[in-house]
Amino acid sequence: MAKYFDVHPENPQQRTISNVADMIRSGALIAYPTDSCFALGCRLGNRDGIGRIRSIRNLDERHHFTLVCQNFAQLGQFVHVDKDVFRLIKAATPGSYTFILPATKEVPRQLLHPKKKTVGVRIPDHTATQALLADLGEPLLSSTLLLPGEDEPMTQGWEIKERLDHVVDAVVDSGDCGTEPTTVIDLSGGEAEIVRRGAGDTARFEAGPASA
């Protein structure tokens, strides 16, 4: 059965956050809230966790996993960002955006798009998740908690606990979170390509070139 952690949305309890971070370090797969919606998350090198995410969501090898990072400095360790892309992402983070970029050698091969060698990255604007990332000291490998055959992500912690009790190790509930997935922007080809419209405003990316 999954452990259930009730976290204060504005002042996350440090002991609770540390308990969740310790579980992640020990190989746990968690469901946790973000500024867009709930996500599944595990440690970057957790092969079992990656397999469980693929199984829960019925994902194929072309799926872009997302590295959820605490800040821009951490994000820069895992993706190649040139000057123009840096400015564009900096202006949009933290927020409900996922950016697809060429991965560095720090990213395990099994997480990369098989042909493009890219990975998704994001910096969430969510107090509890930021506290967890700060304690963990590394990104969370994540995927939106959208179950096969469903059109909308799960948004209620109690419902997630009820439905995924035997396939995740912990559920972190921090009250209301977003109800839409992130907006996904592919910046790997030199131009801003909107892959999915979601919670983040796309206006700043509509001009086309990544330098816009």
Side-chain angles (χ1 to χ4, degrees), residues 10 20 31 34 36 43 58 66 87-88 94 97 105 111 115 125 132-133 163 170 177-178 194 196 202:
E10 297 175 4
V20 177
T34 75
S36 57
R43 200 172 186 184
N58 193 24
T66 298
R87 288 201 299 264
L88 196 62
Y97 298 93
K105 293 181 179 179
L111 302 184
K115 293 184 178 179
D125 186 14
L132 178 58
L133 291 167
R163 293 186 63 181
C177 70
I194 300 169
R196 179 180 72 195
T202 60

Side-chain angles (χ1 to χ4, degrees), residues 32-48:
Y32 70 100
T34 75
D35 49 337
S36 57
C37 55
F38 269 85
L40 295 167
C42 66
R43 200 172 186 184
L44 187 57
N46 185 345
R47 288 177 176 269
D48 175 68

Side-chain angles (χ1 to χ4, degrees), residues 46-157:
N46 185 345
R47 288 177 176 269
D48 175 68
I50 295 167
R52 289 160 70 189
I53 292 174
R54 288 190 187 278
S55 177
I56 291 168
R57 291 206 52 205
N58 193 24
L59 301 173
D60 62 26
E61 65 176 7
R62 294 169 295 175
H63 175 73
H64 267 111
F65 281 98
T66 298
L67 303 183
V68 177
C69 302
Q70 181 189 1
N71 50 38
F72 209 95
Q74 191 177 77
L75 180 149
Q77 299 175 37
F78 297 93
V79 289
H80 296 288
V81 182
D82 65 26
K83 183 173 62 176
D84 292 332
V85 169
F86 174 90
R87 288 201 299 264
L88 196 62
I89 296 177
K90 191 75 170 176
T93 56
S96 299
Y97 298 93
T98 297
F99 300 99
I100 297 173
L101 289 161
T104 67
K105 293 181 179 179
E106 299 294 321
V107 181
R109 183 178 299 176
Q110 70 265 29
L111 302 184
L112 304 180
H113 187 283
K115 293 184 178 179
K116 297 181 179 181
K117 308 304 180 188
T118 50
V119 70
V121 288
R122 69 169 301 217
I123 302 172
D125 186 14
H126 190 279
T127 301
T129 300
Q130 278 289 340
L132 178 58
L133 291 167
D135 193 295
L136 191 61
E138 60 184 88
L140 265 173
L141 169 67
S142 295
S143 184
T144 302
L145 185 36
L146 180 63
L147 298 181
E150 299 193 1
D151 296 326
E152 297 182 356
M154 300 179 73
T155 59
Q156 300 294 325

